[in-house]
Amino acid sequence: MPEVHAKVTASGSHRWLNCTASVERESHFPDSSSPAAAEGTEAHALAEKKLLGWLKSGRRQRYKCEDEVMQEATDGYRDYVIELMNSLKESSPELNVEVQLDLSEWIPEGFGTSDACIVSTDCLHIVDLKYGKGVKVDAPENPQMRLYALGAVARYWPVYEFDKVMTHIYQPRLDHISTEELTVKDLLAWGETVKPKAREAFDGTGSAHSGEWCTFCRCRDVCRTRAQEMFEVLEKQQDPKFLSVEEVAAYLPKLDDAIKWAKGLQEHALSEARSGTKFPGYKLVEGRSVRKVREPNLLADALREAGYGPDLVWKPQELQTITNLEKLVGKKTFASDYGKYLEKPKGKPVLVPESDKRPEWQDATPEEMFGKGE
């Protein structure tokens, strides 16, 4: 049976709540999958199997999975849900896995699936597994999680009449857990603010705005609104020759996104050109190629016969990357048993908005720069 997708999705809500035109614009581009998405789907299927296995047998079972990182991550997710269940024993909790939710009261023809819902007489808990590690996801004010919570309230509140809702995001590969607690009243009030924007997005009558929500938009590379808003010039010039300090400060927040946009546009143009599109003034050519040794042992033997010793031909064996070593022995074991062999040097200074939560840069001390004396 083919997979059915909602036109306006909860997972894309951060985007269409800020840019209601994005749903219509994305419809002109194919919804292509990616290795990361396929990996996430596999992790969710394994996590579901582990939770259902625990519900059925009362035991924490391990299922076959060749990816040890995924095995450990889904074990952690299952254990988090179980521990949450155990903490709610006094309020008669009920665990429901992969719950189909009707969101049509807030989104036209809307629906979604929650990874885990724990319902009790006091509180509704929505738990979402985020297997990705590219972007840290937080629960506070997260529209996807709130929409899932609304769907679960509509489904369970008539029976349980809880007065609180708590959303949980479990992101194991970033060692990140985030939660938000709301009253049912406040959640329903927020839901009312969603309805008009969801209707605009569904009808294709909304307005377009660019921002960090463009990151996963399918039309981000060729969206005219994004390009225009990114490069609009300051109206008032203080000096016709040079940018002022204030003007530089106004451009700084745009630079990271401008770089991403430029790279995305390059990749889009290359993809289109390879599909046959002709861009005026450009053509496809073979790029720079890096030479590789086809038969390293045979080459080494030939050099040895010519009189070159092994120490001149071979490099010393190199250690695997930290990521690969973590996969080899397990992330927790590596941190506890071998963490003493690692160091994290002071990062290079970067310029960020004042709203950034990181502490202000301090120049390195002589000990940090040159090491402590004996």
Side-chain angles (χ1 to χ4, degrees):
M1 184 176 180
E3 188 175 356
V4 180
H5 296 278
K7 180 178 179 180
V8 181
T9 65
S11 59
S13 55
H14 178 54
R15 182 160 59 255
W16 55 257
L17 282 170
N18 287 284
C19 176
T20 49
S22 62
V23 172
E24 190 280 328
R25 293 191 180 189
E26 280 196 289
S27 67
H28 298 276
F29 296 81
D31 186 7
S32 56
S33 186
S34 67
E39 188 179 48
T41 299
E42 183 182 353
H44 276 79
L46 180 61
E48 177 188 5
K49 188 182 294 184
K50 289 182 178 182
L51 270 183
L52 290 176
W54 175 76
L55 276 174
K56 185 176 181 179
S57 67
R59 294 184 293 110
R60 306 183 192 209
Q61 304 177 56
R62 282 173 70 88
Y63 296 87
K64 184 179 179 181
C65 177
E66 294 181 358
D67 188 333
E68 193 59 36
V69 173
M70 186 179 293
Q71 186 78 270
E72 184 178 347
T74 51
D75 276 351
Y77 164 76
R78 175 205 58 202
D79 293 346
Y80 180 82
V81 175
I82 292 174
E83 289 165 12
L84 182 58
M85 279 283 290
N86 291 337
S87 71
L88 300 170
K89 279 185 176 179
E90 294 183 1
S91 54
S92 305
E94 174 191 331
L95 172 61
N96 300 278
V97 181
E98 290 294 308
V99 183
Q100 302 299 309
L101 300 171
D102 181 2
L103 307 179
S104 58
E105 184 176 342
W106 300 274
I107 304 174
E109 300 179 7
F111 57 89
T113 304
S114 175
D115 295 338
C117 291
I118 301 177
V119 199
S120 72
T121 54
D122 297 328
C123 184
L124 166 70
H125 294 265
I126 307 294
V127 188
D128 198 48
L129 170 63
K130 298 291 187 187
Y131 192 68
K133 60 178 181 179
V135 178
K136 182 181 287 187
V137 185
D138 291 312
E141 300 182 4
N142 185 302
Q144 178 186 8
M145 297 302 295
R146 288 186 175 188
L147 284 167
Y148 285 165
L150 284 169
V153 166
R155 177 168 178 157
Y156 296 113
W157 192 85
V159 176
Y160 287 86
E161 296 188 348
F162 42 79
D163 57 5
K164 292 185 299 182
V165 175
M166 194 165 185
T167 61
H168 306 248
I169 286 178
Y170 186 86
Q171 199 168 8
R173 292 201 290 175
L174 290 180
D175 293 323
H176 178 61
I177 297 173
S178 180
T179 62
E180 180 184 46
E181 183 177 312
L182 290 167
T183 64
V184 172
K185 180 180 178 181
D186 288 343
L187 178 65
L188 292 172
W190 176 83
E192 291 302 309
T193 69
V194 169
K195 290 181 179 180
K197 291 186 177 182
R199 171 52 66 180
E200 285 185 8
F202 185 84
D203 292 342
T205 59
S207 56
H209 300 282
S210 68
E212 45 84 21
W213 49 85
C214 297
T215 301
F216 298 108
C217 182
R218 297 200 295 274
C219 66
R220 63 186 179 276
D221 297 327
V222 293
C223 176
R224 184 175 298 278
T225 301
R226 187 181 181 211
Q228 289 174 335
E229 291 185 3
M230 191 179 307
F231 292 110
E232 61 185 5
V233 296
L234 300 178
E235 294 180 359
K236 187 176 180 181
Q237 292 186 349
Q238 299 179 10
D239 187 318
K241 294 183 179 179
F242 309 111
L243 292 174
S244 68
V245 171
E246 291 76 19
E247 288 173 309
V248 171
Y251 279 119
L252 285 175
K254 300 172 181 276
L255 296 184
D256 286 343
D257 197 43
I259 292 170
K260 292 178 183 177
W261 175 81
K263 289 182 178 179
L265 187 60
Q266 284 182 324
E267 293 170 1
H268 169 79
L270 177 59
S271 176
E272 289 293 301
R274 295 188 67 176
S275 299
T277 300
K278 299 292 185 181
F279 290 96
Y282 287 87
K283 64 179 180 180
L284 280 177
V285 298
E286 182 178 348
R288 177 177 175 269
S289 178
V290 179
R291 293 181 300 169
K292 296 181 179 179
V293 177
R294 185 171 62 246
E295 299 286 354
N297 291 326
L298 293 179
L299 175 58
D301 289 342
L303 288 168
R304 185 190 62 208
E305 291 176 3
Y308 296 98
D311 57 326
L312 297 175
V313 175
W314 293 99
K315 292 193 302 183
Q317 187 175 1
E318 296 179 357
L319 194 65
Q320 287 281 357
T321 65
I322 293 175
T323 299
N324 287 341
L325 292 173
E326 284 180 329
K327 289 181 179 180
L328 180 67
V329 302
K331 195 169 185 179
K332 292 182 179 179
T333 301
F334 185 80
S336 62
D337 295 356
Y338 307 103
K340 61 185 177 182
Y341 299 111
L342 307 180
E343 65 174 354
K344 189 175 183 181
K346 190 178 181 72
K348 294 181 180 179
V350 292
L351 195 59
V352 298
E354 290 184 348
S355 58
D356 192 282
K357 295 181 180 180
R358 288 170 290 183
E360 192 165 358
W361 170 268
Q362 299 293 330
D363 287 330
T365 64
E367 289 79 7
E368 290 173 325
M369 293 176 64
F370 305 109
K372 295 181 180 180
E374 294 182 2

